[in-house]
Amino acid sequence: MSTAQVVVLAGPSGAGKSRLAERLGFPVLRLDDFYKDGDDPSLPRISHGPNSGLVDWDHPESWHQEDALAALRELCATGLSEVPIYEIADNGRRGLRTVHLGGSDRFVAEGIFAPEVVAACREEGMLAAAYCITQHPLVTFWRRLTRDLREHRKPPMVLLLRGFALMRDQQRVVAHALRQGCRRATGDQAYAELTGQHSRAAGSP
């Protein structure tokens, strides 16, 4: 039986998953740290459009799902796990860090591939809740672009082209998360529910 449970935060890149995780104050497992290194020959490639030939970093096969699930299981069972540090700008892992729950009975797992772990977490009794965090596509586009430019994640033109492609793809991303068992919500809605503010407000006279 798990001693802790995970709150899974899915949603498009730039939708506010990391911001919500910070507001909640729970320990955080960054699922994007389980990306494959940029020189991994198994990385999927975009086959059409202006980004044809580039690595498809939004495809689940660009990510180590089993490694992520192993870390989730370890955190739920022991409250401690050593996980990779992935630098997007460098396309690779740059060391390790320790995630420690510090006695908390809940923690957050967030990332663009978060929907892929929901079913296993639910089946194994690890899941506290699963949300797909959404905003208007234009809001998500702008937040993602300004963040990625600020952090120098990729060359500006690559970020711009990728941003337009992701904006067009947002509806599909959200639909996939819902099929995998996530519930659609804004960051404010999920925060209110997870902190009990929604229940208190509903019960107020």
Side-chain angles (χ1 to χ4, degrees):
M1 178 64 67
S2 299
T3 58
Q5 288 189 309
V6 59
V7 175
V8 175
L9 300 181
S13 175
K17 299 182 296 296
S18 297
R19 184 180 292 106
L20 173 58
E22 184 177 348
R23 287 177 67 193
L24 288 168
F26 298 152
V28 177
L29 177 66
R30 298 192 302 262
L31 296 176
D32 290 348
D33 279 335
F34 293 91
Y35 266 121
K36 296 178 180 178
D37 287 340
D39 58 359
D40 191 316
S42 68
L43 282 168
R45 299 278 173 175
I46 299 171
S47 59
H48 58 279
N51 294 327
S52 181
L54 297 177
V55 172
D56 188 352
W57 295 108
D58 301 296
H59 193 289
E61 290 182 9
S62 67
W63 182 68
H64 290 289
Q65 180 174 343
E66 287 306 316
D67 290 356
L69 282 170
L72 285 164
R73 293 181 182 111
E74 189 172 34
L75 280 169
C76 286
T78 72
L80 190 71
S81 184
E82 194 171 62
V83 301
I85 300 170
Y86 192 93
E87 294 292 344
I88 293 177
D90 296 333
N91 290 342
R93 298 185 180 194
R94 295 294 179 266
L96 299 168
R97 71 183 181 97
T98 300
V99 178
H100 198 305
L101 300 191
S104 175
D105 62 357
R106 287 195 292 179
F107 67 99
V108 166
E110 61 93 3
I112 64 170
F113 299 125
E116 313 309 320
V117 305
V118 171
C121 288
R122 179 175 287 113
E123 291 169 4
E124 297 177 33
M126 298 188 292
L127 188 68
Y131 290 93
C132 177
I133 305 303
T134 60
Q135 303 285 348
H136 189 281
L138 285 173
V139 173
T140 303
F141 169 83
W142 181 249
R143 286 182 175 177
R144 178 174 55 240
L145 182 62
T146 54
R147 177 202 65 194
D148 292 353
L149 287 171
R150 182 177 63 250
E151 298 178 4
H152 307 288
R153 292 191 171 193
K154 302 289 178 185
M157 186 53 67
V158 171
L159 293 175
L160 192 61
L161 292 173
R162 179 175 180 267
F164 282 125
L166 291 178
M167 184 171 65
R168 291 191 297 268
D169 199 39
Q170 179 164 320
Q171 185 175 356
R172 183 199 61 80
V173 169
V174 172
H176 173 71
L178 299 184
R179 286 195 301 271
Q180 297 300 104
C182 298
R183 190 152 61 85
R184 183 172 187 161
T186 65
D188 288 342
Q189 288 168 340
Y191 179 82
E193 292 181 13
L194 290 167
T195 59
Q197 292 184 14
H198 177 77
S199 297
R200 289 196 294 272
S204 299

